[in-house]
Amino acid sequence: MTDQQRKFVIRPARPEDAALLEDLLMRTYEGTWMPEMTAERDRQFRASGKTAEYVRTRGNLFMVCEIDGAPAGMADWENDFIWALHVHPARQGQGVGGALLAWMEAAIRDAGFERARLETDSFNKRSRQFYGKHGYAEIDTYPDEEWDSGFTTILLQKRLAA
């Protein structure tokens, strides 16, 4: 474990985290999805309020990874499915994603599931490499209906050790 990983605190999200979590999600959107969007689709997404709604409806279920008291990443899962794993761009490459992923996998396993599943988009090479490095296999593809943009979704799965 590195000195940086020792500074990680993974905890449930708190109501006062909402604005910071919305900012984190928008920053990862801007660095990952926005470059793949048309200007019109980006405008529509920003006007939709989806990010604020997501934090409002599921934020109480998020796990937050803090470094020195500041949110560095967030994760959301349900049953055996990982809905989201986002790391602040300034904290990417520092082990935050790996720490959150390991935490979620342990929670999923402790809940009695033998596998973890998640989705990413075909254009997201960084995400695909990250999950591949952590033992996830790409098992299916289908049209991405969430973004209404012609993206292809990739379903990934990992068997969890007992």
Side-chain angles (χ1 to χ4, degrees), residues 51-75:
T51 301
E53 179 66 16
Y54 178 47
V55 172
R56 197 170 30 258
T57 58
R58 288 197 57 89
N60 63 316
L61 302 172
F62 293 175
M63 293 305 292
V64 173
C65 181
E66 286 184 348
I67 298 177
D68 298 328
M74 61 73 66

PDB file of all heavy atoms in Angstrom, residues 51-75:
ATOM      1  N   THR A  51     -27.456  15.297 -14.073  1.00  0.00           N
ATOM      2  CA  THR A  51     -26.424  15.111 -13.050  1.00  0.00           C
ATOM      3  C   THR A  51     -26.972  15.454 -11.671  1.00  0.00           C
ATOM      4  O   THR A  51     -26.825  14.679 -10.725  1.00  0.00           O
ATOM      5  CB  THR A  51     -25.179  15.955 -13.379  1.00  0.00           C
ATOM      6  OG1 THR A  51     -24.689  15.544 -14.661  1.00  0.00           O
ATOM      7  CG2 THR A  51     -24.089  15.760 -12.342  1.00  0.00           C
ATOM      8  N   ALA A  52     -27.629  16.600 -11.559  1.00  0.00           N
ATOM      9  CA  ALA A  52     -28.213  17.000 -10.271  1.00  0.00           C
ATOM     10  C   ALA A  52     -29.287  16.009  -9.837  1.00  0.00           C
ATOM     11  O   ALA A  52     -29.368  15.644  -8.656  1.00  0.00           O
ATOM     12  CB  ALA A  52     -28.786  18.413 -10.369  1.00  0.00           C
ATOM     13  N   GLU A  53     -30.085  15.547 -10.780  1.00  0.00           N
ATOM     14  CA  GLU A  53     -31.141  14.572 -10.456  1.00  0.00           C
ATOM     15  C   GLU A  53     -30.545  13.255  -9.967  1.00  0.00           C
ATOM     16  O   GLU A  53     -31.044  12.643  -9.025  1.00  0.00           O
ATOM     17  CB  GLU A  53     -32.037  14.334 -11.677  1.00  0.00           C
ATOM     18  CG  GLU A  53     -33.146  13.336 -11.445  1.00  0.00           C
ATOM     19  CD  GLU A  53     -34.185  13.790 -10.436  1.00  0.00           C
ATOM     20  OE1 GLU A  53     -34.252  14.995 -10.118  1.00  0.00           O
ATOM     21  OE2 GLU A  53     -34.932  12.919  -9.942  1.00  0.00           O
ATOM     22  N   TYR A  54     -29.476  12.811 -10.597  1.00  0.00           N
ATOM     23  CA  TYR A  54     -28.806  11.576 -10.187  1.00  0.00           C
ATOM     24  C   TYR A  54     -28.299  11.696  -8.750  1.00  0.00           C
ATOM     25  O   TYR A  54     -28.524  10.817  -7.918  1.00  0.00           O
ATOM     26  CB  TYR A  54     -27.670  11.264 -11.157  1.00  0.00           C
ATOM     27  CG  TYR A  54     -26.849  10.043 -10.829  1.00  0.00           C
ATOM     28  CD1 TYR A  54     -27.454   8.832 -10.500  1.00  0.00           C
ATOM     29  CD2 TYR A  54     -25.464  10.094 -10.870  1.00  0.00           C
ATOM     30  CE1 TYR A  54     -26.689   7.709 -10.206  1.00  0.00           C
ATOM     31  CE2 TYR A  54     -24.696   8.975 -10.592  1.00  0.00           C
ATOM     32  CZ  TYR A  54     -25.321   7.783 -10.257  1.00  0.00           C
ATOM     33  OH  TYR A  54     -24.564   6.679  -9.965  1.00  0.00           O
ATOM     34  N   VAL A  55     -27.644  12.802  -8.451  1.00  0.00           N
ATOM     35  CA  VAL A  55     -27.141  13.005  -7.091  1.00  0.00           C
ATOM     36  C   VAL A  55     -28.313  13.116  -6.117  1.00  0.00           C
ATOM     37  O   VAL A  55     -28.266  12.555  -5.018  1.00  0.00           O
ATOM     38  CB  VAL A  55     -26.215  14.240  -7.023  1.00  0.00           C
ATOM     39  CG1 VAL A  55     -25.848  14.574  -5.578  1.00  0.00           C
ATOM     40  CG2 VAL A  55     -24.956  14.006  -7.856  1.00  0.00           C
ATOM     41  N   ARG A  56     -29.371  13.780  -6.509  1.00  0.00           N
ATOM     42  CA  ARG A  56     -30.541  13.943  -5.637  1.00  0.00           C
ATOM     43  C   ARG A  56     -31.223  12.609  -5.341  1.00  0.00           C
ATOM     44  O   ARG A  56     -31.642  12.343  -4.226  1.00  0.00           O
ATOM     45  CB  ARG A  56     -31.512  14.930  -6.290  1.00  0.00           C
ATOM     46  CG  ARG A  56     -32.543  15.508  -5.381  1.00  0.00           C
ATOM     47  CD  ARG A  56     -33.349  16.673  -5.971  1.00  0.00           C
ATOM     48  NE  ARG A  56     -33.558  16.693  -7.401  1.00  0.00           N
ATOM     49  CZ  ARG A  56     -32.881  17.466  -8.263  1.00  0.00           C
ATOM     50  NH1 ARG A  56     -31.923  18.259  -7.833  1.00  0.00           N
ATOM     51  NH2 ARG A  56     -33.135  17.436  -9.550  1.00  0.00           N
ATOM     52  N   THR A  57     -31.322  11.743  -6.360  1.00  0.00           N
ATOM     53  CA  THR A  57     -32.078  10.498  -6.175  1.00  0.00           C
ATOM     54  C   THR A  57     -31.246   9.341  -5.635  1.00  0.00           C
ATOM     55  O   THR A  57     -31.772   8.495  -4.919  1.00  0.00           O
ATOM     56  CB  THR A  57     -32.754  10.051  -7.486  1.00  0.00           C
ATOM     57  OG1 THR A  57     -31.767   9.870  -8.494  1.00  0.00           O
ATOM     58  CG2 THR A  57     -33.789  11.066  -7.930  1.00  0.00           C
ATOM     59  N   ARG A  58     -29.949   9.294  -5.956  1.00  0.00           N
ATOM     60  CA  ARG A  58     -29.131   8.161  -5.519  1.00  0.00           C
ATOM     61  C   ARG A  58     -27.932   8.560  -4.668  1.00  0.00           C
ATOM     62  O   ARG A  58     -27.228   7.699  -4.152  1.00  0.00           O
ATOM     63  CB  ARG A  58     -28.635   7.350  -6.725  1.00  0.00           C
ATOM     64  CG  ARG A  58     -29.761   6.556  -7.393  1.00  0.00           C
ATOM     65  CD  ARG A  58     -29.262   5.468  -8.297  1.00  0.00           C
ATOM     66  NE  ARG A  58     -28.401   4.496  -7.688  1.00  0.00           N
ATOM     67  CZ  ARG A  58     -28.795   3.367  -7.084  1.00  0.00           C
ATOM     68  NH1 ARG A  58     -30.076   3.089  -6.978  1.00  0.00           N
ATOM     69  NH2 ARG A  58     -27.912   2.520  -6.585  1.00  0.00           N
ATOM     70  N   GLY A  59     -27.713   9.834  -4.518  1.00  0.00           N
ATOM     71  CA  GLY A  59     -26.535  10.305  -3.798  1.00  0.00           C
ATOM     72  C   GLY A  59     -26.400   9.756  -2.396  1.00  0.00           C
ATOM     73  O   GLY A  59     -25.286   9.547  -1.907  1.00  0.00           O
ATOM     74  N   ASN A  60     -27.517   9.489  -1.737  1.00  0.00           N
ATOM     75  CA  ASN A  60     -27.453   8.930  -0.380  1.00  0.00           C
ATOM     76  C   ASN A  60     -26.923   7.503  -0.382  1.00  0.00           C
ATOM     77  O   ASN A  60     -26.580   6.980   0.679  1.00  0.00           O
ATOM     78  CB  ASN A  60     -28.823   8.990   0.290  1.00  0.00           C
ATOM     79  CG  ASN A  60     -29.862   8.147  -0.425  1.00  0.00           C
ATOM     80  OD1 ASN A  60     -29.959   8.167  -1.652  1.00  0.00           O
ATOM     81  ND2 ASN A  60     -30.645   7.420   0.327  1.00  0.00           N
ATOM     82  N   LEU A  61     -26.813   6.873  -1.560  1.00  0.00           N
ATOM     83  CA  LEU A  61     -26.279   5.518  -1.682  1.00  0.00           C
ATOM     84  C   LEU A  61     -24.808   5.498  -2.104  1.00  0.00           C
ATOM     85  O   LEU A  61     -24.176   4.446  -2.074  1.00  0.00           O
ATOM     86  CB  LEU A  61     -27.096   4.723  -2.705  1.00  0.00           C
ATOM     87  CG  LEU A  61     -28.590   4.606  -2.413  1.00  0.00           C
ATOM     88  CD1 LEU A  61     -29.318   3.976  -3.592  1.00  0.00           C
ATOM     89  CD2 LEU A  61     -28.834   3.851  -1.133  1.00  0.00           C
ATOM     90  N   PHE A  62     -24.275   6.644  -2.506  1.00  0.00           N
ATOM     91  CA  PHE A  62     -22.905   6.718  -2.989  1.00  0.00           C
ATOM     92  C   PHE A  62     -21.918   6.441  -1.865  1.00  0.00           C
ATOM     93  O   PHE A  62     -22.164   6.755  -0.706  1.00  0.00           O
ATOM     94  CB  PHE A  62     -22.562   8.115  -3.518  1.00  0.00           C
ATOM     95  CG  PHE A  62     -23.270   8.553  -4.761  1.00  0.00           C
ATOM     96  CD1 PHE A  62     -23.069   9.842  -5.220  1.00  0.00           C
ATOM     97  CD2 PHE A  62     -24.135   7.742  -5.471  1.00  0.00           C
ATOM     98  CE1 PHE A  62     -23.706  10.307  -6.361  1.00  0.00           C
ATOM     99  CE2 PHE A  62     -24.780   8.182  -6.619  1.00  0.00           C
ATOM    100  CZ  PHE A  62     -24.557   9.473  -7.056  1.00  0.00           C
ATOM    101  N   MET A  63     -20.776   5.912  -2.277  1.00  0.00           N
ATOM    102  CA  MET A  63     -19.600   5.866  -1.417  1.00  0.00           C
ATOM    103  C   MET A  63     -18.643   6.905  -1.975  1.00  0.00           C
ATOM    104  O   MET A  63     -18.501   7.048  -3.197  1.00  0.00           O
ATOM    105  CB  MET A  63     -18.964   4.482  -1.414  1.00  0.00           C
ATOM    106  CG  MET A  63     -19.826   3.414  -0.776  1.00  0.00           C
ATOM    107  SD  MET A  63     -20.383   3.767   0.903  1.00  0.00           S
ATOM    108  CE  MET A  63     -18.842   3.691   1.792  1.00  0.00           C
ATOM    109  N   VAL A  64     -18.002   7.639  -1.086  1.00  0.00           N
ATOM    110  CA  VAL A  64     -17.090   8.704  -1.466  1.00  0.00           C
ATOM    111  C   VAL A  64     -15.693   8.329  -0.994  1.00  0.00           C
ATOM    112  O   VAL A  64     -15.515   7.850   0.124  1.00  0.00           O
ATOM    113  CB  VAL A  64     -17.527  10.037  -0.821  1.00  0.00           C
ATOM    114  CG1 VAL A  64     -16.497  11.131  -1.054  1.00  0.00           C
ATOM    115  CG2 VAL A  64     -18.895  10.456  -1.344  1.00  0.00           C
ATOM    116  N   CYS A  65     -14.717   8.542  -1.855  1.00  0.00           N
ATOM    117  CA  CYS A  65     -13.317   8.376  -1.466  1.00  0.00           C
ATOM    118  C   CYS A  65     -12.747   9.773  -1.251  1.00  0.00           C
ATOM    119  O   CYS A  65     -12.784  10.605  -2.159  1.00  0.00           O
ATOM    120  CB  CYS A  65     -12.528   7.643  -2.546  1.00  0.00           C
ATOM    121  SG  CYS A  65     -10.796   7.375  -2.099  1.00  0.00           S
ATOM    122  N   GLU A  66     -12.275  10.004  -0.050  1.00  0.00           N
ATOM    123  CA  GLU A  66     -11.670  11.293   0.307  1.00  0.00           C
ATOM    124  C   GLU A  66     -10.155  11.164   0.359  1.00  0.00           C
ATOM    125  O   GLU A  66      -9.633  10.133   0.762  1.00  0.00           O
ATOM    126  CB  GLU A  66     -12.093  11.729   1.712  1.00  0.00           C
ATOM    127  CG  GLU A  66     -13.463  12.227   1.870  1.00  0.00           C
ATOM    128  CD  GLU A  66     -13.717  12.713   3.300  1.00  0.00           C
ATOM    129  OE1 GLU A  66     -12.893  12.441   4.211  1.00  0.00           O
ATOM    130  OE2 GLU A  66     -14.746  13.347   3.509  1.00  0.00           O
ATOM    131  N   ILE A  67      -9.498  12.249  -0.001  1.00  0.00           N
ATOM    132  CA  ILE A  67      -8.071  12.399   0.248  1.00  0.00           C
ATOM    133  C   ILE A  67      -7.920  13.730   0.972  1.00  0.00           C
ATOM    134  O   ILE A  67      -8.372  14.769   0.468  1.00  0.00           O
ATOM    135  CB  ILE A  67      -7.245  12.383  -1.045  1.00  0.00           C
ATOM    136  CG1 ILE A  67      -7.396  11.058  -1.770  1.00  0.00           C
ATOM    137  CG2 ILE A  67      -5.774  12.671  -0.733  1.00  0.00           C
ATOM    138  CD1 ILE A  67      -6.671  10.979  -3.100  1.00  0.00           C
ATOM    139  N   ASP A  68      -7.324  13.689   2.142  1.00  0.00           N
ATOM    140  CA  ASP A  68      -7.129  14.895   2.954  1.00  0.00           C
ATOM    141  C   ASP A  68      -8.440  15.665   3.146  1.00  0.00           C
ATOM    142  O   ASP A  68      -8.471  16.890   3.076  1.00  0.00           O
ATOM    143  CB  ASP A  68      -6.054  15.798   2.339  1.00  0.00           C
ATOM    144  CG  ASP A  68      -4.694  15.116   2.278  1.00  0.00           C
ATOM    145  OD1 ASP A  68      -4.398  14.298   3.170  1.00  0.00           O
ATOM    146  OD2 ASP A  68      -3.941  15.391   1.327  1.00  0.00           O
ATOM    147  N   GLY A  69      -9.531  14.924   3.341  1.00  0.00           N
ATOM    148  CA  GLY A  69     -10.820  15.534   3.636  1.00  0.00           C
ATOM    149  C   GLY A  69     -11.612  16.018   2.441  1.00  0.00           C
ATOM    150  O   GLY A  69     -12.734  16.505   2.599  1.00  0.00           O
ATOM    151  N   ALA A  70     -11.071  15.885   1.237  1.00  0.00           N
ATOM    152  CA  ALA A  70     -11.774  16.356   0.034  1.00  0.00           C
ATOM    153  C   ALA A  70     -12.188  15.167  -0.825  1.00  0.00           C
ATOM    154  O   ALA A  70     -11.386  14.253  -1.046  1.00  0.00           O
ATOM    155  CB  ALA A  70     -10.878  17.283  -0.769  1.00  0.00           C
ATOM    156  N   PRO A  71     -13.443  15.155  -1.337  1.00  0.00           N
ATOM    157  CA  PRO A  71     -13.860  14.058  -2.215  1.00  0.00           C
ATOM    158  C   PRO A  71     -12.971  13.957  -3.450  1.00  0.00           C
ATOM    159  O   PRO A  71     -12.735  14.940  -4.143  1.00  0.00           O
ATOM    160  CB  PRO A  71     -15.294  14.428  -2.599  1.00  0.00           C
ATOM    161  CG  PRO A  71     -15.770  15.274  -1.454  1.00  0.00           C
ATOM    162  CD  PRO A  71     -14.547  16.071  -1.044  1.00  0.00           C
ATOM    163  N   ALA A  72     -12.443  12.756  -3.669  1.00  0.00           N
ATOM    164  CA  ALA A  72     -11.574  12.498  -4.816  1.00  0.00           C
ATOM    165  C   ALA A  72     -12.255  11.577  -5.823  1.00  0.00           C
ATOM    166  O   ALA A  72     -11.828  11.482  -6.966  1.00  0.00           O
ATOM    167  CB  ALA A  72     -10.271  11.870  -4.348  1.00  0.00           C
ATOM    168  N   GLY A  73     -13.308  10.873  -5.391  1.00  0.00           N
ATOM    169  CA  GLY A  73     -14.016   9.958  -6.268  1.00  0.00           C
ATOM    170  C   GLY A  73     -15.303   9.501  -5.611  1.00  0.00           C
ATOM    171  O   GLY A  73     -15.530   9.736  -4.414  1.00  0.00           O
ATOM    172  N   MET A  74     -16.150   8.877  -6.413  1.00  0.00           N
ATOM    173  CA  MET A  74     -17.407   8.360  -5.905  1.00  0.00           C
ATOM    174  C   MET A  74     -17.749   7.058  -6.606  1.00  0.00           C
ATOM    175  O   MET A  74     -17.265   6.784  -7.704  1.00  0.00           O
ATOM    176  CB  MET A  74     -18.552   9.355  -6.084  1.00  0.00           C
ATOM    177  CG  MET A  74     -18.884   9.763  -7.516  1.00  0.00           C
ATOM    178  SD  MET A  74     -19.727   8.557  -8.581  1.00  0.00           S
ATOM    179  CE  MET A  74     -21.299   8.385  -7.795  1.00  0.00           C
ATOM    180  N   ALA A  75     -18.571   6.245  -5.940  1.00  0.00           N
ATOM    181  CA  ALA A  75     -19.020   4.977  -6.508  1.00  0.00           C
ATOM    182  C   ALA A  75     -20.472   4.756  -6.130  1.00  0.00           C
ATOM    183  O   ALA A  75     -20.928   5.189  -5.071  1.00  0.00           O
ATOM    184  CB  ALA A  75     -18.153   3.835  -5.984  1.00  0.00           C
TER     185      ALA A  75
END
